[in-house]
Each structure stands twice: as C-alpha cells, then as structure tokens.
C-alpha cells in the first residue's frame, strides 16, 4: 500500500484516521460531550448516581478519619493534663506531710488527728486539708508570739 | 491523603466530568470499529463506554496512581485510554492465538519470520488493513475535503496545522470535514460489518 515513501501501513492509517475523526486525543468539552452522548444514545444518570454514592461514602470516610485524628489529639492532651495533675497531687501531699511534722512538734495529739484525716482524704480534698493545716500553723505562730 | 480523600475533596464538577469521560470512551470505542466488532470483536460483550468510565472511577478509588500535579480529568482520561488499549492488546493476542490454532495444519511454518520481522499471520492482517484503507480512500469523492484530509493523514500528517495546510482547509472547514468524515466512517464500518456478517452466514 505504498503510495510514496512517507506513507504509512494500512493499520497505521486506519488508526490515525480514526483518532482524527473521533477526536480521541483530548477530553471533549461538556457541551460537546452532551451532543456525543445524545447521538450515541447514552444515558449517564445511573452512572452519576453510582459515583455520587461512592463519593458520599468516601466523604464519610474522610470525616471519620478527621474525627479520629481529633480524638487522638484530645487523648494526648488529656494524658498530658493527667500527668501534670498527678505531679501536683504529689507536691500537695509532701506539703501536707511537712505541715503535719511541724504540727507534731507543737501539738502531737492534734497532729495524730490530722494524720488520720490525711490518710482518709482523697486527692480532690487535699487542698482543703492543706488550707486547714495552714490555718493551724498560723494560729500556732500567733499564740506563740 | 489517599485517592478517595482527594476525589471527595476535588473541586471538579463530577457530573460534568462523568459526561465528558463517558463521551470520550464512546469516541474511543467508535474509533476502534475498523477492527472486527461483534461477538469476537475488540470490545467484549457487556463492555461499553459507561462500564469503562465506571471502572476508571473504581480504579481511582481503589488506589490507581494519581500524580499530585495532574487534574482529576486528566488522570481519569489516562485510565480510560489505558483500559481501551488493554482491550485492543488482549483482542490482538486472542486473535493471534486463534489464527495460529486454525492455521497450524495448513501452514506448518506459521512461526517463520519474514524480512520485515513479521510472521505470516501478521502479514495477512496487515494486508487486510491495507485493503480496508484502500477501500476507504476509494469510497471518498476525489478532491472532496474528506478525501484531502484522508490523503493528508495517509501521507503522515497528524497535527491539526499540518492537516489543514496539506488539505488546504480553513479552521471552520477543518471542523466540518472532521464531522462529515466521522459520519462517513461510521456508515462505512456498519456496511463492512454487515458484509462480514453476510459472508459468514453463507459460508458452509
């Protein structure tokens, strides 16, 4: 099938002619696409529903992933706060114990009462106990003057 | 961010993109009609422009490669093109195997390679394509713009500007000729398929 030296084989010619006539190198514009679909009697409505379902579930998955990330960040923050809190409780306990030792020197009976109270006091109530001991300390200091 | 996240976050109008993608797949399938169609054709039964577009979306959702710099439309078009190229490749392999099986008794030297690096089956196919190409050129009216465009392509002009210059066409004539050639080719292939069907029906 050689017309001249530059001509192609029939296979190449058919392939190139088809690509040219059917515009296969680029995606058609939406206007063009609508005309093509109409002439080919193709209805894309079912396909669109299917794709929208797929995208909805992809979006839901994306939201879930974001929520999981948020949650894990919150968990990290809580554990940091908890660790700081437990550190504070330890400091409070030491401060209460120091005050009890001082009280033992001045009023051993009262110190024993407060020692029992200290053993029964929850972490939450420790600040109140410390405040009471602080007041006692101040009262003792005043009476000694 | 995986593909489904990127798809969900994409700013492109998915509905319009689906229309464009399906239309592109339809045109690609139409452009294959010079090869045999029907039961043993390039496009298997059940496969259509819609199923190809759907499968491209599914492939992307399931993690097909998505170059960060490429738009969704470009990526999906690439997947559609590669799916259709695979259909052609698999049809060619199947056809080659069938021809080899049916010809083995008649042609013991089926695997012999010619000077051009082609075996006898490939040579036969090439001759068939040459025959169809000549029929197309013969069917077009000499000196019509369609004939001039087909001749320009036959002579190796593939770019729009080269075809326009070789066929002496203006931009508007170029587009109109393209549409006429498309209609002509569709009819030509329909006739071709009908003739093939008649021939196979009359074969003993």
């Amino acid at each position: 099938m050689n017309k001249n030296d530059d001509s192609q084989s029939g296979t190449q010619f058919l392939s190139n002619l088809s690509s040219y006539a059917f515009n296969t190198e680029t995606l058609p514009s939406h206007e063009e696409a609508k005309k093509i679909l109409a002439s080919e009697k193709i209805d894309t409505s079912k396909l669109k529903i299917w794709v929208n379902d797929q995208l909805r579930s992809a979006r839901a998955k994306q939201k879930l992933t974001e929520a999981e990330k948020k949650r894990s960040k919150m968990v990290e923050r809580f554990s940091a706060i908890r660790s700081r809190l437990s550190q504070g409780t330890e400091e409070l306990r030491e401060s209460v114990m120091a005050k009890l030792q001082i009280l033992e020197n001045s009023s051993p009976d009262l110190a024993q009462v407060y020692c029992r109270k200290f053993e029964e006091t929850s972490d939450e109530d420790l600040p109140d106990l410390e405040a009471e001991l602080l007041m006692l300390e101040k009262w003792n200091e005043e009476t000694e003057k | 961010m995986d593909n489904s996240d990127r798809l969900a976050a994409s700013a492109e109008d998915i509905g319009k993109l689906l229309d464009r993608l399906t239309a592109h797949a339809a045109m690609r399938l139409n452009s294959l009609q010079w090869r045999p169609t029907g039961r043993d054709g390039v496009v298997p039964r059940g496969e259509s422009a819609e199923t190809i577009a759907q499968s491209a979306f599914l492939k992307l959702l399931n993690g097909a490669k998505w170059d960060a710099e490429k738009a969704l439309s470009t990526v999906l078009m690439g997947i559609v093109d590669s799916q259709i190229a695979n259909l052609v490749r698999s049809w060619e392999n199947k056809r080659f195997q069938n021809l080899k099986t049916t010809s083995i008794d008649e042609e013991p030297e089926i695997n012999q390679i010619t000077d051009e690096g082609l075996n006898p089956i490939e040579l036969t196919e090439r001759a068939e394509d040459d025959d169809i190409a000549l029929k197309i050129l013969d069917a077009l009216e000499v000196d019509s713009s369609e004939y001039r465009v087909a001749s320009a392509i036959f002579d190796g002009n593939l770019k729009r500007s080269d075809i326009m210059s070789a066929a002496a066409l203006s931009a508007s004539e170029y587009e109109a000729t393209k549409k006429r050639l498309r209609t002509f080719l569709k009819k030509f292939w329909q006739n071709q398929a009908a003739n093939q069907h008649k021939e196979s029906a009359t074969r003993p």
Side-chain angles (χ1 to χ4, degrees):
Chain A
M1 150 120 204
N2 289 328
K3 250 189 175 179
N4 58 44
D5 289 344
D6 294 330
S7 64
Q8 314 158 60
S9 73
T11 314
Q12 278 173 311
F13 169 69
L14 290 171
S15 168
N16 291 335
L17 185 70
S18 296
S19 295
Y20 158 81
F22 290 97
N23 252 346
T24 56
E25 301 304 314
T26 52
L27 215 52
S29 68
H30 189 234
E31 286 310 306
E32 264 179 273
K34 283 199 288 187
K35 283 180 196 163
I36 295 167
L37 294 174
S39 74
E40 297 289 322
K41 296 183 179 67
I42 295 174
D43 178 9
T44 55
S45 53
K46 276 186 189 165
L47 184 58
K48 283 176 188 168
I49 292 170
W50 178 84
V51 168
N52 280 332
D53 283 347
Q54 297 292 317
L55 287 179
R56 240 194 308 275
S57 72
R59 281 193 194 105
K61 200 184 119 205
Q62 196 184 14
K63 275 188 184 169
L64 196 70
T65 313
E66 276 168 16
E68 273 168 4
K69 272 184 197 164
K70 244 186 194 173
R71 192 180 168 276
S72 96
K73 269 187 186 171
M74 288 300 283
V75 168
E76 266 174 42
R77 278 183 68 186
F78 277 137
S79 76
I81 289 168
R82 204 174 292 134
S83 117
R84 272 209 304 278
L85 268 178
S86 67
Q87 235 172 20
T89 309
E90 208 49 50
E91 278 167 18
L92 210 57
R93 277 181 188 281
E94 275 172 24
S95 152
V96 169
M97 278 175 66
K99 283 181 175 60
L100 282 173
Q101 270 168 8
I102 293 168
L103 188 66
E104 202 176 17
N105 293 332
S106 57
S107 334
D109 292 341
L110 201 59
Q112 267 193 7
V113 173
Y114 272 98
C115 267
R116 239 175 280 134
K117 215 175 174 183
F118 175 54
E119 280 166 4
E120 289 160 6
T121 303
S122 66
D123 286 354
E124 274 175 41
D125 295 331
L126 269 179
D128 294 341
L129 184 63
E130 195 203 27
E132 269 185 59
L133 285 168
L134 198 68
M135 278 171 68
L136 265 175
E137 209 176 271
K138 281 197 174 165
W139 182 76
N140 276 341
E141 276 170 17
E142 299 249 348
T143 49
E144 274 173 19
K145 272 180 195 171
Chain B
M1 205 186 218
D2 65 13
N3 282 357
S4 58
D5 294 338
R6 289 182 68 187
L7 253 175
S10 170
E12 288 191 61
D13 184 322
I14 302 292
K16 284 183 182 174
L17 181 54
L18 266 177
D19 284 342
R20 296 172 66 203
L21 197 67
T22 312
H24 173 71
M27 293 299 254
R28 283 295 308 258
L29 293 182
N30 274 335
S31 80
L32 297 177
Q33 284 185 0
W34 56 275
R35 296 169 185 274
T37 52
R39 194 166 60 86
D40 296 321
V42 182
V43 185
R45 258 190 199 166
E47 202 76 83
S48 66
E50 296 103 300
T51 60
I52 288 170
Q54 181 180 27
S55 153
F57 254 93
L58 204 56
K59 279 194 172 149
L60 198 61
L61 276 172
N62 290 337
K65 196 184 164 203
W66 185 347
D67 189 334
E69 286 166 13
K70 281 188 183 165
L72 174 59
S73 53
T74 313
V75 177
L76 284 170
M77 182 180 147
I79 300 176
V80 163
D81 287 349
S82 104
Q83 280 177 283
I84 292 174
N86 283 341
L87 286 181
V88 174
R89 234 189 323 274
S90 113
W91 171 80
E92 278 173 345
N93 289 340
K94 207 168 123 190
R95 190 167 189 231
F96 181 77
Q97 284 306 319
N98 287 346
L99 283 171
K100 203 171 169 182
T101 316
T102 52
S103 315
I104 203 86
D105 296 335
E106 305 151 18
E107 180 54 84
E109 291 175 33
I110 199 74
N111 289 322
Q112 124 195 353
I113 303 295
T114 65
D115 290 345
E116 289 178 85
L118 300 170
N119 64 38
I121 292 171
E122 287 168 319
L123 273 177
T124 311
E125 283 192 348
R126 189 179 255 206
E128 280 171 13
D129 289 343
D130 285 353
D131 185 46
I132 298 171
L134 286 175
K135 275 183 187 164
I136 286 176
L137 287 170
D138 283 344
L140 290 168
E141 196 182 317
V142 180
D143 285 341
S144 66
S145 57
E146 294 93 303
Y147 180 83
R148 296 204 305 274
V149 165
S151 298
I153 292 171
F154 180 79
D155 287 336
N157 297 295
L158 300 176
K159 285 185 190 161
R160 177 190 163 97
S161 54
D162 294 342
I163 295 173
M164 275 169 68
S165 146
L169 293 175
S170 67
S172 59
E173 283 171 332
Y174 175 86
E175 290 304 326
T177 304
K178 185 183 273 194
K179 277 183 191 165
R180 285 200 298 274
L181 207 45
R182 193 184 301 164
T183 312
F184 163 81
L185 286 175
K186 273 184 163 185
K187 274 187 191 160
F188 179 86
W189 287 322
Q190 272 167 11
N191 291 338
Q192 187 88 347
N195 288 339
Q196 272 174 5
H197 184 71
K198 259 187 219 164
E199 274 173 32
S200 62
T202 52
R203 217 171 281 152

